[in-house]
Amino acid sequence: VKGLRIVGVLGATFLIATAAVAQPVVDSVVFEQGQELYQNHCALCHQDAGTGNPPTFPSLSGNDHLEDPAQIVRTIRQGAGTMPPFPDLSTAEISAVATYIRNAWANSFGAITTAEATAALDVDGFEAEGDSASVWDGVFTETQAERGRAAYPGACALCHGRRLNGAPDDPDMAATPSLARARFLRTWDGKSLATLFEYTRATMPQDNPGSLTDEEYVDVIAYMLSVGGMPAGEVDLQPDPEDLARVVIEPQP
Amino acid sequence: MAKTDDDDARAGAPRAATGGGDKPQRKGGNGLTRRDFVRTGAAAGLGAGALLGPDQADAQGTSTGLDDTTWDYEVDVVIAGAGCAGLTAAIRARDLGASVLVVDSNFDAGGRMLLSGAHVSLGGGDPVQGRDMTGESDREGFITVDPVEAPEELDDSVELLFADLNDWSVLDTKAQSAYRYNERDVARSWAENCPATRQFLIDNYVRFARVSGGHHGGGLSRARGARCFLLLGDRTDIKAGTITAEDAGVADPERTSPFAPVQMNDLSRSVGSPAVSNGVALARPLDFSAREKGVEFMFHRHFDELVREQPFSGRVLGIRAHYSPRHHPETGELLQSYWQNGNVEEQRETVSIRARRAVILASGGHAGNPEVRGMFYPALREPAFPTSGYAFQGPHGQDASALIAGLRIGANLAGMQQNLSYPTTFHIATRLGTRDAYTTMMPGHPTFGFRQSAGVNVGNVGFEEFIAVNQVGKRFFNEVRLPLKPTRSSYSYPGDRGTPNEGLEHTPHDWRNCRQDWVREMYNYDHGLDAALAVNEGSTAPHYYSGPLWAIFDQEAIERTGWELRAPYVADNGYSFKADTITELAERIAAGHEFQRVPLAHLVDTVATWNSYAAAGADPDFERETDAPMHPIATPPFYALSIMVVWHDSYGGLRVNGRQQIVDMQGQVIPGLYAGGEAAGGINKHGLGKGHVQGYIAGTNAAVEPTA
């Protein structure tokens, strides 16, 4: 039964030791900084206990791919597959979150220094830290939001409701997350549109994830932003994770 | 219909169907006979010996005894209730050659099926599962999208479905094991008849979209649920499978239609071309097919009691039913069913209807009867809180008629404790400002006037925008947690989300599914409902009613949320109020709401205290600050919208066996009497799947009962 497994995995988390055991070589300040960054940017998909939701979101706990410092640093900066890029994380922040991931849960791969991270990213094709914009900067167009409004009823409204407030029309169905306004902003505060785009594309609609086109996904996101009162601009939001990663979701400045 | 007298004066001329719909054309005769003042014994050809039972003496002078019964109508199978169980049973019995009369207290067919989401969970290797396993389209070729579920998720069997329905290891989110209590014979029969019932529905104009997941108690080892749909088109035509945007209620976001009381949902993505879904795409095809096949309907007719040979023994011979007319709330005209072919017009106060073969009770549950549901939660005797679909169903909806009539002739009960489970049995609705808070309905359906306001569905998120107060104006719970159902996700019935794993990953009857750690992890009931129903200063003996509940907020809340407090969402009907001061608001509520029995004496103080909490950012009473920002209520005008507790489902009812025959308290079948759907207890299956299959079984067996 597709789309129903997230809860099952959440449910399994209690079986896994959640105590984070830092290795002696790991600086506890860096580890805690990495933990906070992880909670804000990674836990949505990879879960607090690093269990992820395979196969969509891989488990990080006990994942041997974490052994290669360069691969983890580059994946965070540039993204890979469903994983969105994080251009607004500094190299120091990336090394902190990588250190946390490599040493939390069942992992003990040791720390990654900022110097190691810098070296890993100092190759062709990896951009430096980038500028970021806000969802309040006019990042979509009115016509795009209108297209999203048209796509919304068939793709989203059954569960998320006509008002995007998580109240389904079918009264047998219980509440779902709000897709606009205050509650949405609290949940997504500080995350990028790339995270929202990739998360949505990987998990929604719940009964058939990925069944919209990439353009439809960004159109619906534009509609969600417009319902939340964010202003339209001159250029369509593009389904390009690198561009979307530079737009941050935040409360009205 | 073959009438034996000439009393046609009351029969109204059939009204033309509206909305461009082709009305069903009757094929062949039925066999219903009208038999005013005919003595039963002679009519039925019963010898005196057949009437002599051990309790014969008890029959003298009782309302259920045979001797004082004269029959106004006679038919092979009488069915009480035109909902999902009743309509299915009616068509099935008619297919097998029986003459069938359906009585219903409402003015139109469909019952709550018409208001439903039409998500029908069957399985056991049913034809829709088989279709999706091969990736084929439906037989009309409407579906052009790929299956949602992988073939292995659809690879089902009766054995696996039956195993699921007895899976003791599946707990709900309040840690109760519902399947453990299922009657095994009933569950087995249900599982065995699922594939045939799916085919039956398809054969009666019901179109199913792709199978997607399960639905509410249908077992969780495989994907078994599919929604019904109609294609949007230029005309409403059940045979062609099309419906107009106007009839579907999708042409105007604030209108519904006489055809569809609830606006239909867009299901295009699951079909591939413009399609709409909800109970209309299930109820109207069955309504149409029943009339086409010659089923007869008597609306405005409430089923009251069963007539049995002796009060507690012998065969059930028929029913008595009283006139329960529903009139248009504005024009006062008698409401008329959408189609009228096959309607029997009858306005006498009470009629007795002889069932030559059997009576089938399909008149629903007890959620609309506060006295009966008080058996499970005494505080819910509070009449302020109705059942779902109140406006459409009318005052007799879910009034326990089958339960009451069955008990009067000795029937047993089953599964009653299963009410105490699941989010939709009773809960707080997020639709504010209307008494009919479970159901969406816009102007355009003739019963909209009974609710007057569609309500504002603020969702769980809306509850952080106001304070909730009881009948004396006091807060009673953390508002943010008040509407939360005991569920973490969109469904939470056993068979949907009650276990660590689902689908192929689920192992039925595995102790790990209900290990203590998992139960602790899963439990998340917040008890806001219990706080809402608690005794308060306004509660008085003997019932100690807790009274109505109010959401109190100010103009700034509207600016934050964009709630549209205008027609058709709210109305001046006692369920929404507006005033320039809190004092005036309290006075208006007390004067204007039908169940507000005491003044909201504390409301002014409550708001002042709340505003001080909001300024301090801390709520020492309910710790609201831990869940959401706290907004002061300080900018006039001020508003109050009703918050409703809704009792939706009935679990538990008359004890039946695997043939849907009603069983008495000695374990003996009551001859000639069947039940299905919410009238029957013993299997914890929410909604349509239970009703259709049990109706199919009952119709199958009732049609071949020997004539009495």
Side-chain angles (χ1 to χ4, degrees):
Chain A
V1 182
K2 274 185 203 165
L4 299 182
R5 295 195 185 105
I6 292 176
V7 170
V9 172
L10 276 173
T13 57
F14 75 90
L15 295 171
I16 293 167
T18 53
V21 181
Q23 297 302 298
V25 294
V26 176
D27 182 318
S28 67
V29 174
V30 172
F31 184 86
E32 281 167 25
Q33 185 199 0
Q35 182 171 26
E36 190 179 339
L37 288 163
Y38 179 87
Q39 297 292 346
N40 290 342
H41 294 285
C42 317
L44 175 76
C45 301
H46 293 290
Q47 310 296 329
D48 287 350
T51 48
N53 186 22
T56 311
F57 305 126
S59 171
L60 298 179
S61 183
N63 186 330
D64 290 340
H65 291 296
L66 297 172
E67 208 162 336
D68 177 2
Q71 184 183 349
I72 178 173
V73 167
R74 288 171 185 166
T75 303
I76 294 171
R77 171 62 58 82
Q78 197 83 333
T82 300
M83 170 100 168
F86 291 87
D88 55 333
L89 289 184
S90 70
T91 306
E93 287 173 322
I94 289 176
S95 61
V97 77
T99 296
Y100 173 73
I101 290 166
R102 280 163 52 95
N103 297 284
W105 321 302
N107 297 340
S108 57
F109 295 104
I112 295 180
T113 63
T114 305
E116 284 176 295
T118 304
L121 295 171
D122 187 21
V123 293
D124 285 347
F126 285 88
E127 298 173 35
E129 302 164 31
D131 299 329
S132 65
S134 160
V135 288
W136 296 93
D137 293 344
V139 297
F140 61 91
T141 66
E142 273 179 37
T143 50
Q144 185 176 28
E146 279 304 310
R147 290 199 302 273
R149 180 201 295 275
Y152 181 84
C156 325
L158 197 65
C159 301
H160 291 283
R162 290 169 200 232
R163 290 179 45 80
L164 289 75
N165 62 358
D169 276 354
D170 180 347
D172 287 348
M173 298 168 66
T176 57
S178 179
L179 300 187
R181 307 186 192 89
R183 181 75 71 93
F184 168 79
L185 287 176
R186 286 211 300 280
T187 305
W188 288 87
D189 187 9
K191 297 181 176 65
S192 76
L193 286 185
T195 304
L196 176 61
F197 173 72
E198 294 291 6
Y199 180 81
T200 306
R201 196 165 63 151
T203 61
M204 297 291 148
Q206 220 175 34
D207 67 357
N208 203 358
S211 58
L212 278 68
T213 65
D214 287 355
E215 286 72 21
E216 285 173 322
Y217 281 112
V218 280
D219 290 351
V220 168
I221 288 171
Y223 175 53
M224 290 159 56
L225 300 179
S226 75
V227 169
M230 290 147 202
E234 303 296 318
V235 182
D236 273 1
L237 199 58
Q238 298 298 319
D240 176 348
E242 296 219 3
D243 290 350
L244 293 169
R246 295 181 185 278
V247 184
V248 175
I249 303 168
E250 58 185 7
Q252 189 162 15
Chain B
M1 177 171 67
K3 289 199 175 190
T4 55
D5 66 19
D6 58 0
D7 186 12
D8 274 341
R10 294 186 206 88
R15 188 186 66 156
T18 55
D22 276 0
K23 67 184 179 184
Q25 297 302 313
R26 163 90 167 277
K27 301 167 181 166
N30 184 333
L32 173 71
T33 52
R34 177 159 181 158
R35 313 191 51 237
D36 285 342
F37 312 115
V38 176
R39 299 293 292 187
T40 303
L46 290 174
L51 300 179
L52 290 173
D55 302 320
Q56 188 195 23
D58 295 344
Q60 301 300 323
T62 69
S63 63
T64 50
L66 170 61
D67 286 355
D68 57 356
T69 297
T70 57
W71 299 104
D72 302 301
Y73 293 87
E74 182 172 313
V75 67
D76 288 337
V77 176
V78 178
I79 299 175
C84 64
L87 271 182
T88 304
I91 298 170
R92 178 63 178 162
R94 186 79 194 110
D95 282 347
L96 296 176
S99 59
V100 178
L101 176 66
V102 182
V103 301
D104 196 294
S105 66
N106 206 357
F107 70 97
D108 203 357
R112 281 203 301 207
M113 166 173 56
L114 192 57
L115 309 177
S116 75
H119 196 193
V120 185
S121 188
L122 298 176
D126 76 42
V128 176
Q129 288 177 313
R131 179 196 73 190
D132 281 15
M133 277 180 80
T134 64
E136 290 167 8
S137 180
D138 55 327
R139 64 184 175 194
E140 291 162 300
F142 289 159
I143 299 176
T144 56
V145 295
D146 290 336
V148 170
E149 302 285 354
E152 56 270 27
E153 297 274 11
L154 298 160
D155 186 11
D156 203 359
S157 69
V158 168
E159 290 302 328
L160 184 55
L161 182 55
F162 179 51
D164 274 0
L165 294 172
N166 288 284
D167 190 347
W168 54 267
S169 74
V170 174
L171 304 188
D172 68 16
T173 43
K174 288 196 286 187
Q176 301 177 71
S177 166
Y179 291 142
R180 177 175 58 189
Y181 300 120
N182 280 347
E183 293 280 351
R184 294 158 192 201
D185 188 28
V186 177
R188 177 75 203 188
S189 177
W190 188 85
E192 285 177 351
N193 281 277
C194 275
T197 302
R198 184 78 80 180
Q199 187 60 49
F200 169 88
L201 294 171
I202 293 168
D203 291 342
N204 286 281
Y205 304 121
V206 178
R207 283 90 177 174
F208 289 102
R210 292 298 187 197
V211 175
S212 176
H215 185 251
H216 294 6
L220 48 64
S221 292
R222 291 294 183 274
R224 294 163 174 151
R227 290 182 188 272
C228 310
F229 70 91
L230 290 167
L231 294 184
L232 284 174
D234 296 337
R235 57 202 305 266
T236 297
D237 185 337
I238 296 296
K239 284 185 174 175
T242 59
I243 186 171
T244 65
E246 289 73 22
D247 277 351
V250 299
D252 178 338
E254 296 181 6
R255 295 287 296 177
T256 55
S257 72
F259 192 81
V262 174
Q263 294 174 324
M264 299 182 78
N265 297 306
D266 186 337
L267 206 69
S268 307
R269 288 171 26 74
S270 302
V271 176
S273 41
V276 287
S277 175
N278 71 8
V280 174
L282 175 60
R284 289 303 184 194
L286 295 180
D287 183 0
F288 182 95
S289 186
R291 292 169 186 277
E292 193 177 53
K293 288 175 169 174
V295 171
E296 310 239 15
F297 293 91
M298 191 182 290
F299 292 110
H300 304 290
R301 181 65 49 183
H302 181 263
F303 158 64
D304 297 319
E305 54 185 348
L306 294 158
V307 183
R308 194 175 183 182
E309 285 177 339
Q310 309 298 335
F312 297 107
S313 66
R315 198 174 174 80
V316 166
L317 302 172
I319 69 166
R320 268 193 279 278
H322 83 267
Y323 189 45
S324 58
R326 296 199 72 199
H327 296 99
H328 193 285
E330 279 108 34
T331 68
E333 289 173 13
L334 189 69
L335 289 168
Q336 297 291 330
S337 57
Y338 185 81
W339 288 303
Q340 283 152 37
N341 320 48
N343 282 9
V344 179
E345 303 293 331
E346 173 59 80
Q347 299 190 359
R348 275 177 292 179
E349 180 56 31
T350 303
V351 296
S352 300
I353 305 168
R354 177 83 163 92
R356 281 189 290 257
R357 294 184 190 274
V359 172
I360 300 174
L361 302 185
S363 55
H366 48 264
N369 186 324
E371 283 302 318
V372 173
R373 70 190 190 198
M375 191 189 311
F376 311 101
Y377 198 158
L380 275 165
R381 288 208 182 86
E382 168 59 89
F385 302 127
T387 185
S388 55
Y390 159 86
F392 173 72
Q393 292 198 95
H396 291 298
Q398 315 301 318
D399 68 355
S401 57
L403 195 67
I404 293 166
L407 286 173
R408 290 186 69 184
I409 63 159
N412 201 357
L413 304 173
M416 302 306 278
Q417 81 284 4
Q418 294 181 328
N419 270 316
L420 300 176
S421 201
Y422 319 129
T424 64
T425 306
F426 40 81
H427 62 91
I428 291 191
T430 61
R431 185 178 301 276
L432 309 181
T434 180
R435 179 164 164 75
D436 203 8
Y438 193 85
T439 312
T440 65
M441 182 198 282
M442 291 288 173
H445 191 270
T447 63
F448 182 79
F450 291 115
R451 59 192 279 166
Q452 299 176 315
S453 52
V456 184
N457 193 351
V458 303
N460 287 357
V461 297
F463 278 60
E464 69 186 52
E465 306 292 349
F466 54 74
I467 59 168
V469 301
N470 61 19
Q471 64 177 346
V472 294
K474 280 189 170 176
R475 290 177 68 216
F476 53 88
F477 206 71
N478 176 335
E479 287 81 359
V480 175
R481 292 167 183 261
L482 183 57
L484 301 182
K485 296 176 185 176
T487 167
R488 286 192 311 208
S489 200
S490 58
Y491 288 118
S492 189
Y493 282 64
D496 293 308
R497 300 227 156 154
T499 50
N501 298 298
E502 304 181 42
L504 297 170
E505 283 93 46
H506 174 68
T507 306
H509 306 266
D510 183 332
W511 65 276
R512 294 173 191 84
N513 294 330
C514 55
R515 63 196 299 167
Q516 213 171 56
D517 308 5
W518 162 252
V519 175
R520 289 191 177 122
E521 166 85 1
M522 182 176 60
Y523 185 88
N524 69 337
Y525 188 40
D526 271 303
H527 292 279
L529 176 87
D530 305 319
L533 295 169
V535 170
N536 56 57
E537 286 170 43
S539 306
T540 54
H543 295 298
Y544 295 95
Y545 289 142
S546 54
L549 308 164
W550 298 101
I552 307 292
F553 52 94
D554 67 355
Q555 184 62 33
E556 284 203 359
I558 292 178
E559 280 153 24
R560 286 194 302 273
T561 59
W563 294 343
E564 296 178 279
L565 299 191
R566 60 171 175 83
Y569 304 105
V570 298
D572 185 17
N573 61 351
Y575 287 81
S576 73
F577 297 94
K578 177 180 174 181
D580 289 330
T581 66
I582 297 294
T583 305
E584 192 187 340
L585 189 66
E587 289 167 359
R588 290 194 176 178
I589 297 168
H593 182 68
E594 56 190 311
F595 295 99
Q596 182 70 40
R597 306 174 183 95
V598 293
L600 290 91
H602 297 275
L603 187 61
V604 170
D605 287 347
T606 299
V607 171
T609 302
W610 168 258
N611 287 345
S612 73
Y613 291 170
D619 167 18
D621 298 334
F622 301 106
E623 300 183 16
R624 258 285 301 273
E625 71 279 3
T626 60
D627 290 304
M630 297 162 60
H631 305 287
I633 301 171
T635 307
F638 301 102
Y639 300 88
L641 295 181
S642 62
I643 304 172
M644 300 304 291
V645 177
V646 178
W647 189 311
H648 176 53
D649 283 357
S650 305
Y651 295 102
L654 296 167
R655 160 101 197 273
V656 292
N657 63 15
R659 294 169 60 86
Q660 299 302 130
Q661 293 172 293
I662 295 180
V663 177
D664 72 13
M665 294 194 188
Q666 282 73 46
Q668 301 299 309
V669 163
I670 298 178
L673 185 61
Y674 293 79
E678 287 200 329
I683 179 170
N684 204 310
K685 171 75 182 74
H686 163 80
L688 303 166
K690 176 186 175 190
H692 288 301
V693 177
Q694 294 196 332
Y696 180 82
I697 298 167
T700 302
N701 293 316
V704 297
E705 281 264 352
T707 50

